[in-house]
């Protein structure tokens, strides 16, 4: 069963500095033995404006509780469902999303139970899942995945990207993924690999990511595949609409900011290039193994449990 709400939820989002997190986040909280000290954390936080609907925490709690209910037996599958809906609920600019204090507040004061549920390994949850880089923090990584892999208002590429943990764990770290045609070209190749039931899919994703990143140091993707970029005014309009927007739908994808679709020709150009890079990229060499005793847990599974993947 999903964990129950461990504390009174603050009604409004805020900003919680890293120094405060470092002071109070310890093993007892990371292992779920204790809940974060609400009074002390709230004293160290700065509240955001309660007049903005997008700052209210109730829709976020409803969303996260639904994710825990739906995916209680398959935690990693929650990422693909949650990422676009988290993005459409929070409605942030990139500058706002780059402020780690917001994600600290969400993880420690609004939804520490979700962080534990999603990322706790056999004993504890990594500190970086509460407060860390944008590609490891429990909520930041989902927001940025949705932002970088969406095609304008269309979140379908986000679902594909988040179906494979190696995209979140590896591809999301790359600087080149900020180039929209690059992101969608990777998703298109991933779609094809999934459709063909490619084995060891993560090995292919990691090989492709490494090859794309290496080639990007000598090739300029935005010259090979121009992208007009998103329309800033459209994003601001979408954010303003949050004031009267209904809660995101659970049974269908929400609509993202309508800031323009990615140029299809640019994506086609990069898909052709990335296909060649993937064909030539070295992949992990897996030793031939004897049939495993069904009572033995594979090493990869043990590592995933420890890391809370």
């Amino acid at each position: 069963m999903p964990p129950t709400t461990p504390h009174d939820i603050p009604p409004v989002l805020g900003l919680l500095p890293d120094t405060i997190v470092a002071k109070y986040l310890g093993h007892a909280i990371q292992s779920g033995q204790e809940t974060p000290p609400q009074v002390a954390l709230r004293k160290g936080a700065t509240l955001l404006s309660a007049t903005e609907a997008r700052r209210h925490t109730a829709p976020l709690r409803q969303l996260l509780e639904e994710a825990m209910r739906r995916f209680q037996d398959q935690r990693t599958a929650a990422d693909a469902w949650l990422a676009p809906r988290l993005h459409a609920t929070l409605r942030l600019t990139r500058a706002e999303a780059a402020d780690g204090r917001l994600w600290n507040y969400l993880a420690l004061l609004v939804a520490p139970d979700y962080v534990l549920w999603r990322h706790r390994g056999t004993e504890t949850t990594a500190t970086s899942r509460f407060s860390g880089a944008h590609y490891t923090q429990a909520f930041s990584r989902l927001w940025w995945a949705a932002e970088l892999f969406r095609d304008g208002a269309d979140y379908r590429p986000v679902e594909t990207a988040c179906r494979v943990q190696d995209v979140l764990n590896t591809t999301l770290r790359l600087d080149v993924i900020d180039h929209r045609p690059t992101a969608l070209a990777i998703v298109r190749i991933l779609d094809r690999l999934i459709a063909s039931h490619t084995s060891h899919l993560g090995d292919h994703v990691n090989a492709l990511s490494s090859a794309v990143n290496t080639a990007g140091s000598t090739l300029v993707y935005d010259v090979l595949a121009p992208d007009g970029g998103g329309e800033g005014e459209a994003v601001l309009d979408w954010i303003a609409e949050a004031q009267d927007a209904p809660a995101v739908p659970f049974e269908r994808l929400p609509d993202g900011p309508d800031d323009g679709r990615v140029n299809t020709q640019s994506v086609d150009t990069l898909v052709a290039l990335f296909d060649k890079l993937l064909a030539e990229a070295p992949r992990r060499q897996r030793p031939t193994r004897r049939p495993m005793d069904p009572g033995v847990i594979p090493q990869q599974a043990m590592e995933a449990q420890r890391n809370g993947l």
Side-chain angles (χ1 to χ4, degrees), residues 46-109:
T46 301
L47 288 181
L48 297 174
S49 173
T51 61
E52 293 186 74
R54 68 190 179 117
R55 305 302 195 185
H56 296 171
T57 60
L60 284 170
R61 279 301 315 184
Q62 293 169 2
L63 184 62
L64 297 173
E65 288 169 11
E66 177 66 14
M68 288 188 282
R69 184 191 69 79
R70 285 185 177 229
F71 301 99
Q72 56 183 298
D73 296 323
Q74 44 181 171
R75 295 177 300 164
T76 57
D79 293 345
W81 185 87
L82 182 57
R85 291 169 176 84
L86 179 72
H87 186 273
T89 298
L90 282 173
R91 300 205 183 197
L92 304 170
T93 65
R94 287 193 176 191
E96 290 171 329
D99 190 342
R101 296 176 300 167
L102 174 68
W103 306 114
N104 292 345
Y105 190 97
L106 182 52
L108 271 297
L109 282 157

Coordinates of all heavy atoms in Angstrom, one line a residue, residues 46-109:
T46 N 11.1 30.3 2.7 CA 10.4 31.5 2.3 C 9.2 31.1 1.5 O 9.3 30.4 0.5 CB 11.3 32.4 1.4 OG1 12.5 32.7 2.1 CG2 10.6 33.6 0.9
L47 N 8.0 31.5 1.9 CA 6.7 31.1 1.2 C 6.6 31.9 -0.1 O 7.0 33.1 -0.1 CB 5.5 31.4 2.1 CG 5.3 30.4 3.3 CD1 4.1 30.8 4.0 CD2 5.2 29.0 2.8
L48 N 6.0 31.3 -1.1 CA 5.7 32.0 -2.3 C 4.3 32.6 -2.2 O 3.5 32.3 -1.2 CB 5.8 31.0 -3.5 CG 7.2 30.5 -3.7 CD1 7.2 29.4 -4.8 CD2 8.2 31.6 -4.1
S49 N 3.9 33.3 -3.2 CA 2.6 34.0 -3.1 C 1.4 33.1 -3.1 O 1.3 32.3 -4.0 CB 2.5 35.0 -4.3 OG 1.2 35.6 -4.4
A50 N 0.5 33.2 -2.1 CA -0.7 32.4 -2.0 C -1.7 32.9 -3.0 O -2.7 32.1 -3.2 CB -1.2 32.5 -0.6
T51 N -1.6 34.0 -3.7 CA -2.6 34.5 -4.6 C -2.4 33.8 -6.0 O -3.4 33.9 -6.8 CB -2.4 36.0 -4.8 OG1 -1.1 36.3 -5.4 CG2 -2.6 36.8 -3.5
E52 N -1.3 33.1 -6.2 CA -1.1 32.4 -7.5 C -1.6 30.9 -7.3 O -1.0 30.2 -6.5 CB 0.3 32.4 -7.9 CG 0.8 33.8 -8.3 CD 2.2 33.7 -8.9 OE1 2.4 33.3 -10.0 OE2 3.2 34.1 -8.2
A53 N -2.5 30.5 -8.1 CA -3.1 29.2 -8.0 C -2.0 28.1 -8.2 O -2.0 27.0 -7.6 CB -4.2 29.0 -9.0
R54 N -1.0 28.4 -9.1 CA 0.0 27.4 -9.3 C 0.9 27.2 -8.2 O 1.7 26.2 -8.2 CB 0.8 27.9 -10.6 CG 1.7 29.1 -10.3 CD 2.3 29.6 -11.6 NE 3.1 30.8 -11.4 CZ 4.4 30.9 -11.6 NH1 5.1 29.8 -12.1 NH2 5.0 32.0 -11.4
R55 N 0.8 28.0 -7.1 CA 1.7 27.8 -5.9 C 1.0 27.0 -4.9 O 1.5 26.7 -3.8 CB 2.0 29.2 -5.3 CG 2.7 30.2 -6.3 CD 4.0 29.6 -6.9 NE 4.8 30.7 -7.5 CZ 5.9 30.4 -8.2 NH1 6.3 29.2 -8.3 NH2 6.6 31.4 -8.7
H56 N -0.3 26.6 -5.1 CA -1.0 25.9 -4.1 C -0.6 24.4 -4.1 O -0.4 23.8 -5.2 CB -2.5 26.0 -4.4 CG -3.1 27.4 -4.2 ND1 -4.3 27.8 -4.6 CD2 -2.5 28.5 -3.8 CE1 -4.5 29.1 -4.3 NE2 -3.4 29.5 -3.8
T57 N -0.5 23.8 -3.0 CA 0.0 22.5 -2.9 C -1.1 21.4 -3.0 O -0.8 20.2 -3.3 CB 0.7 22.3 -1.5 OG1 -0.2 22.5 -0.5 CG2 1.9 23.2 -1.4
A58 N -2.3 21.7 -2.8 CA -3.4 20.7 -2.8 C -3.4 19.9 -4.1 O -3.5 18.7 -4.1 CB -4.8 21.3 -2.5
P59 N -3.4 20.6 -5.3 CA -3.4 19.8 -6.6 C -2.2 18.9 -6.7 O -2.3 17.8 -7.2 CB -3.3 20.9 -7.6 CG -3.9 22.1 -7.0 CD -3.4 22.1 -5.6
L60 N -1.0 19.3 -6.2 CA 0.2 18.5 -6.2 C 0.0 17.3 -5.3 O 0.4 16.1 -5.8 CB 1.4 19.3 -5.7 CG 2.0 20.3 -6.7 CD1 3.0 21.2 -6.0 CD2 2.6 19.6 -7.9
R61 N -0.5 17.4 -4.1 CA -0.7 16.3 -3.3 C -1.7 15.3 -3.9 O -1.5 14.1 -3.8 CB -1.3 16.8 -1.9 CG -0.3 17.3 -1.0 CD 0.8 16.4 -0.6 NE 0.4 15.0 -0.3 CZ 1.2 14.0 0.2 NH1 2.5 14.3 0.3 NH2 0.7 12.8 0.4
Q62 N -2.8 15.8 -4.5 CA -3.7 14.9 -5.1 C -3.1 14.1 -6.3 O -3.3 12.9 -6.4 CB -4.9 15.7 -5.7 CG -5.8 16.4 -4.6 CD -6.8 17.3 -5.2 OE1 -6.8 17.6 -6.4 NE2 -7.5 18.0 -4.3
L63 N -2.2 14.8 -7.0 CA -1.5 14.1 -8.1 C -0.6 13.1 -7.6 O -0.5 11.9 -8.1 CB -0.8 15.2 -8.9 CG 0.0 14.8 -10.2 CD1 -1.0 14.2 -11.2 CD2 0.8 16.0 -10.7
L64 N 0.2 13.4 -6.6 CA 1.2 12.4 -6.1 C 0.5 11.3 -5.4 O 1.0 10.1 -5.5 CB 2.2 13.2 -5.1 CG 3.0 14.3 -5.8 CD1 3.8 15.0 -4.7 CD2 3.9 13.7 -6.8
E65 N -0.5 11.5 -4.7 CA -1.2 10.4 -4.0 C -1.9 9.5 -5.1 O -1.9 8.3 -4.9 CB -2.3 11.0 -3.1 CG -1.7 11.6 -1.8 CD -2.6 12.4 -1.0 OE1 -3.9 12.3 -1.3 OE2 -2.2 13.1 -0.1
E66 N -2.3 10.0 -6.2 CA -2.9 9.2 -7.3 C -1.8 8.4 -7.9 O -2.0 7.2 -8.2 CB -3.5 10.1 -8.3 CG -4.1 9.3 -9.5 CD -5.2 8.4 -9.2 OE1 -5.8 8.5 -8.1 OE2 -5.6 7.6 -10.1
A67 N -0.6 8.9 -8.1 CA 0.5 8.2 -8.6 C 0.9 7.0 -7.7 O 1.2 5.9 -8.2 CB 1.7 9.1 -8.8
M68 N 1.0 7.3 -6.4 CA 1.3 6.2 -5.5 C 0.3 5.1 -5.5 O 0.6 3.9 -5.3 CB 1.5 6.8 -4.1 CG 2.8 7.6 -3.9 SD 3.2 8.1 -2.2 CE 2.1 9.5 -2.0
R69 N -1.0 5.5 -5.6 CA -2.1 4.5 -5.7 C -2.0 3.7 -6.9 O -2.1 2.5 -6.9 CB -3.4 5.2 -5.6 CG -4.6 4.3 -5.5 CD -5.9 5.0 -5.7 NE -6.1 5.5 -7.1 CZ -6.5 4.7 -8.1 NH1 -6.7 3.4 -7.9 NH2 -6.6 5.2 -9.3
R70 N -1.8 4.3 -8.1 CA -1.8 3.6 -9.4 C -0.6 2.7 -9.5 O -0.7 1.6 -10.2 CB -1.8 4.7 -10.5 CG -3.1 5.4 -10.7 CD -3.0 6.2 -12.0 NE -4.3 6.8 -12.2 CZ -4.9 6.9 -13.4 NH1 -4.4 6.3 -14.4 NH2 -6.1 7.4 -13.5
F71 N 0.5 3.1 -9.0 CA 1.7 2.4 -9.3 C 2.4 1.8 -8.1 O 3.6 1.7 -8.0 CB 2.7 3.3 -10.0 CG 2.2 3.9 -11.3 CD1 1.6 5.2 -11.3 CD2 2.2 3.2 -12.5 CE1 1.1 5.7 -12.5 CE2 1.7 3.7 -13.7 CZ 1.1 5.0 -13.7
Q72 N 1.6 1.4 -7.1 CA 2.1 0.9 -5.9 C 3.0 -0.3 -6.1 O 3.8 -0.6 -5.2 CB 1.0 0.6 -4.9 CG -0.1 -0.3 -5.3 CD -1.2 -0.4 -4.3 OE1 -1.0 -0.9 -3.2 NE2 -2.4 0.0 -4.7
D73 N 2.7 -1.1 -7.1 CA 3.5 -2.3 -7.4 C 4.5 -2.2 -8.4 O 5.2 -3.1 -8.8 CB 2.5 -3.5 -7.7 CG 1.6 -3.8 -6.6 OD1 2.0 -3.8 -5.4 OD2 0.4 -4.1 -6.9
Q74 N 4.6 -1.0 -9.0 CA 5.6 -0.8 -10.1 C 6.1 0.7 -10.1 O 5.7 1.5 -10.9 CB 5.0 -1.1 -11.5 CG 3.6 -0.6 -11.7 CD 3.1 -1.0 -13.1 OE1 1.9 -0.8 -13.3 NE2 3.9 -1.5 -13.9
R75 N 6.9 1.0 -9.1 CA 7.2 2.4 -8.8 C 7.9 3.1 -10.0 O 7.6 4.3 -10.2 CB 8.2 2.5 -7.6 CG 7.6 2.0 -6.3 CD 8.7 2.0 -5.2 NE 9.8 1.1 -5.5 CZ 11.0 1.2 -4.9 NH1 11.2 2.1 -4.0 NH2 12.0 0.3 -5.2
T76 N 8.8 2.5 -10.7 CA 9.4 3.2 -11.8 C 8.5 3.6 -12.9 O 8.7 4.6 -13.6 CB 10.5 2.3 -12.4 OG1 10.0 1.0 -12.9 CG2 11.6 2.0 -11.4
A77 N 7.3 2.8 -13.0 CA 6.4 3.2 -14.1 C 5.6 4.5 -13.8 O 5.0 5.1 -14.6 CB 5.4 2.0 -14.2
A78 N 5.7 4.9 -12.5 CA 5.1 6.2 -12.2 C 5.7 7.4 -12.9 O 5.0 8.4 -13.1 CB 5.1 6.4 -10.7
D79 N 7.0 7.3 -13.3 CA 7.7 8.4 -13.8 C 7.0 8.9 -15.1 O 6.8 10.1 -15.3 CB 9.1 8.1 -14.1 CG 9.9 7.9 -12.8 OD1 9.4 8.2 -11.8 OD2 11.0 7.3 -12.9
A80 N 6.7 8.0 -16.0 CA 6.1 8.4 -17.3 C 4.7 9.0 -17.2 O 4.3 9.9 -17.9 CB 6.0 7.2 -18.2
W81 N 4.0 8.5 -16.2 CA 2.6 9.1 -15.9 C 2.7 10.4 -15.2 O 2.0 11.4 -15.6 CB 1.8 8.1 -15.1 CG 0.4 8.5 -14.8 CD1 -0.7 8.2 -15.6 CD2 -0.1 9.3 -13.7 NE1 -1.8 8.8 -15.1 CE2 -1.5 9.4 -13.9 CE3 0.5 9.8 -12.6 CZ2 -2.3 10.1 -13.0 CZ3 -0.3 10.5 -11.7 CH2 -1.7 10.6 -11.9
L82 N 3.6 10.5 -14.3 CA 3.7 11.7 -13.4 C 4.4 12.9 -14.1 O 4.0 14.1 -13.9 CB 4.4 11.4 -12.1 CG 4.5 12.5 -11.1 CD1 3.1 13.1 -10.7 CD2 5.2 12.0 -9.8
A83 N 5.4 12.7 -14.9 CA 6.3 13.8 -15.4 C 5.4 14.8 -16.1 O 5.5 16.0 -15.8 CB 7.4 13.3 -16.3
P84 N 4.6 14.5 -17.1 CA 3.9 15.5 -17.8 C 2.8 16.2 -17.0 O 2.6 17.4 -17.1 CB 3.2 14.8 -19.0 CG 3.3 13.4 -18.6 CD 4.4 13.2 -17.8
R85 N 2.3 15.5 -16.0 CA 1.2 16.0 -15.2 C 1.8 16.9 -14.1 O 1.2 17.9 -13.7 CB 0.4 14.9 -14.6 CG -0.5 14.2 -15.6 CD -1.1 12.9 -15.1 NE -2.0 12.3 -16.1 CZ -1.6 11.5 -17.1 NH1 -0.3 11.2 -17.2 NH2 -2.4 11.1 -18.0
L86 N 3.0 16.6 -13.6 CA 3.7 17.5 -12.7 C 4.1 18.8 -13.4 O 3.9 19.9 -12.8 CB 5.0 16.8 -12.2 CG 5.8 17.6 -11.2 CD1 5.1 17.7 -9.8 CD2 7.2 16.9 -11.0
H87 N 4.6 18.7 -14.6 CA 5.0 19.9 -15.4 C 3.7 20.8 -15.6 O 3.8 22.0 -15.5 CB 5.5 19.4 -16.7 CG 6.1 20.5 -17.5 ND1 5.4 21.2 -18.5 CD2 7.4 21.0 -17.7 CE1 6.1 22.1 -19.1 NE2 7.4 22.0 -18.6
A88 N 2.6 20.2 -16.0 CA 1.4 21.0 -16.3 C 0.7 21.5 -15.0 O 0.0 22.5 -15.1 CB 0.4 20.1 -17.1
T89 N 1.0 20.9 -13.9 CA 0.4 21.4 -12.6 C 1.2 22.6 -12.1 O 0.7 23.6 -11.6 CB 0.4 20.3 -11.6 OG1 -0.5 19.2 -12.1 CG2 -0.2 20.8 -10.3
L90 N 2.6 22.4 -12.1 CA 3.4 23.5 -11.5 C 3.5 24.7 -12.4 O 3.5 25.8 -11.9 CB 4.8 22.9 -11.3 CG 5.0 22.1 -10.0 CD1 6.3 21.4 -10.0 CD2 4.7 22.9 -8.8
R91 N 3.5 24.5 -13.7 CA 3.6 25.7 -14.7 C 4.7 26.7 -14.3 O 4.4 27.8 -13.8 CB 2.3 26.3 -14.8 CG 1.2 25.4 -15.3 CD 0.1 26.1 -16.0 NE -1.0 25.2 -16.4 CZ -1.9 25.4 -17.3 NH1 -2.0 26.6 -17.9 NH2 -2.8 24.5 -17.6
L92 N 5.9 26.3 -14.5 CA 7.1 27.1 -14.1 C 7.8 27.6 -15.4 O 7.7 27.0 -16.4 CB 8.1 26.3 -13.3 CG 7.6 25.6 -12.0 CD1 8.7 24.7 -11.5 CD2 7.2 26.7 -11.0
T93 N 8.5 28.7 -15.2 CA 9.5 29.1 -16.2 C 10.7 28.3 -16.0 O 10.9 27.7 -14.9 CB 9.8 30.6 -16.1 OG1 10.5 30.9 -14.9 CG2 8.6 31.5 -16.2
R94 N 11.6 28.3 -16.9 CA 12.9 27.5 -16.7 C 13.7 28.2 -15.6 O 14.4 27.4 -14.9 CB 13.7 27.5 -18.0 CG 13.1 26.5 -19.0 CD 14.1 26.2 -20.1 NE 13.5 25.2 -21.1 CZ 14.3 24.7 -22.0 NH1 15.5 25.0 -22.2 NH2 13.7 23.8 -22.8
A95 N 13.6 29.5 -15.5 CA 14.4 30.1 -14.4 C 13.9 29.7 -13.1 O 14.7 29.5 -12.1 CB 14.3 31.6 -14.6
E96 N 12.6 29.6 -12.9 CA 12.0 29.2 -11.7 C 12.3 27.7 -11.4 O 12.7 27.4 -10.2 CB 10.5 29.4 -11.7 CG 10.0 30.8 -11.7 CD 8.5 30.9 -11.9 OE1 7.9 30.1 -12.7 OE2 7.9 31.9 -11.4
A97 N 12.3 26.9 -12.4 CA 12.6 25.5 -12.2 C 14.1 25.2 -11.9 O 14.4 24.2 -11.3 CB 12.2 24.7 -13.5
A98 N 14.9 26.2 -12.2 CA 16.4 26.0 -12.0 C 16.7 26.3 -10.5 O 17.9 26.1 -10.1 CB 17.2 27.0 -12.9
D99 N 15.7 26.8 -9.8 CA 16.0 27.2 -8.4 C 15.8 25.9 -7.5 O 14.6 25.5 -7.2 CB 15.0 28.3 -7.9 CG 15.3 28.9 -6.6 OD1 16.1 28.2 -5.8 OD2 14.9 30.0 -6.2
G100 N 16.8 25.3 -7.1 CA 16.7 24.1 -6.3 C 16.0 24.2 -5.0 O 15.5 23.2 -4.4
R101 N 15.8 25.4 -4.5 CA 15.1 25.7 -3.2 C 13.7 25.2 -3.3 O 13.0 24.8 -2.3 CB 15.2 27.1 -2.8 CG 16.7 27.6 -2.5 CD 16.7 29.1 -2.1 NE 16.2 29.9 -3.3 CZ 15.9 31.1 -3.2 NH1 16.0 31.8 -2.0 NH2 15.5 31.8 -4.3
L102 N 13.1 25.4 -4.5 CA 11.7 25.0 -4.7 C 11.5 23.5 -4.6 O 10.6 23.0 -3.9 CB 11.2 25.5 -6.1 CG 9.8 25.0 -6.5 CD1 8.7 25.6 -5.6 CD2 9.5 25.2 -8.0
W103 N 12.4 22.8 -5.2 CA 12.4 21.3 -5.1 C 12.7 20.8 -3.8 O 12.1 19.8 -3.3 CB 13.3 20.7 -6.2 CG 13.1 21.3 -7.5 CD1 13.9 22.1 -8.3 CD2 11.9 21.1 -8.3 NE1 13.3 22.4 -9.5 CE2 12.1 21.8 -9.6 CE3 10.7 20.4 -8.2 CZ2 11.1 21.9 -10.6 CZ3 9.7 20.5 -9.2 CH2 10.0 21.2 -10.4
N104 N 13.6 21.5 -3.0 CA 13.8 21.1 -1.6 C 12.6 21.2 -0.8 O 12.2 20.3 0.0 CB 14.9 22.1 -1.0 CG 16.3 21.9 -1.6 OD1 16.6 20.9 -2.2 ND2 17.1 22.9 -1.3
Y105 N 11.8 22.3 -1.0 CA 10.6 22.5 -0.3 C 9.6 21.4 -0.6 O 8.9 20.9 0.3 CB 10.0 23.9 -0.6 CG 8.9 24.4 0.3 CD1 9.1 25.2 1.4 CD2 7.6 24.0 0.0 CE1 8.1 25.6 2.2 CE2 6.5 24.4 0.8 CZ 6.8 25.2 1.9 OH 5.7 25.7 2.7
L106 N 9.4 21.1 -1.8 CA 8.5 20.1 -2.3 C 8.8 18.7 -1.7 O 7.9 18.0 -1.2 CB 8.4 20.0 -3.8 CG 7.5 19.1 -4.5 CD1 6.1 19.2 -3.9 CD2 7.5 19.3 -6.0
A107 N 10.1 18.4 -1.7 CA 10.5 17.1 -1.2 C 10.5 17.0 0.3 O 10.2 15.9 0.9 CB 12.0 16.8 -1.7
L108 N 10.8 18.0 1.1 CA 10.9 17.9 2.5 C 9.6 18.3 3.2 O 9.3 17.8 4.3 CB 12.0 18.8 3.0 CG 13.4 18.2 3.2 CD1 13.4 17.0 4.2 CD2 13.9 17.7 1.8
L109 N 8.9 19.3 2.7 CA 7.7 19.8 3.4 C 6.4 19.4 2.8 O 5.4 19.3 3.5 CB 7.8 21.3 3.4 CG 8.7 21.9 4.5 CD1 9.2 23.3 4.1 CD2 8.0 21.9 5.8

